[in-house]
Amino acid sequence: MTDPKAMNLRFPDPAQRAAIAAAARQAGVSMQEYILSAAYDRAIAVEQRFLEGFKASMARSGAAFAAEPSSIDAGAEQRAIEQEALRELDQQERGHAA
């Protein structure tokens, strides 16, 4: 019986398997470790693109709310709450950019 923890490394294309095996040997790791490392790196790259898009979306939303004043004159308390929310968004953007 095979090890239940082992990854099933079947490749329909023998050339693909050979290329991955060669890359793993060159990196000095097993094929399983090489594949898992590549998958992890890809997942991190996707996450980074998502976070960058989310930050840009937050910035656009914040700018849109700041640029379009309400047609209803909010009271002083409401304006203070809105200004605080804008400051918090700005601080979050600065914190994520660092």
Side-chain angles (χ1 to χ4, degrees):
M1 180 171 221
T2 61
D3 182 0
K5 293 180 184 176
M7 203 165 82
N8 185 355
L9 299 176
R10 292 185 194 166
F11 294 91
D13 180 2
Q16 181 186 34
R17 180 181 179 84
I20 293 171
R25 273 193 307 277
Q26 185 176 13
V29 297
S30 69
M31 280 184 62
Q32 181 175 348
E33 186 176 354
Y34 183 82
I35 291 168
L36 289 173
S37 178
Y40 178 80
D41 292 344
R42 174 75 175 147
I44 295 299
V46 168
E47 178 187 36
Q48 288 301 321
R49 279 196 306 270
F50 170 80
L51 290 174
E52 289 166 7
F54 181 71
K55 288 175 195 173
S57 175
M58 281 181 53
R60 285 191 304 271
S61 296
F65 283 116
E68 298 177 20
S70 173
S71 61
I72 301 172
D73 186 23
E77 183 179 344
Q78 181 63 33
R79 283 193 298 274
I81 292 169
E82 291 170 356
Q83 289 299 316
E84 180 61 26
L86 285 172
R87 278 191 294 276
E88 288 176 13
L89 280 174
D90 189 42
Q91 289 173 352
Q92 287 176 357
E93 286 181 35
R94 287 187 194 142
H96 290 294

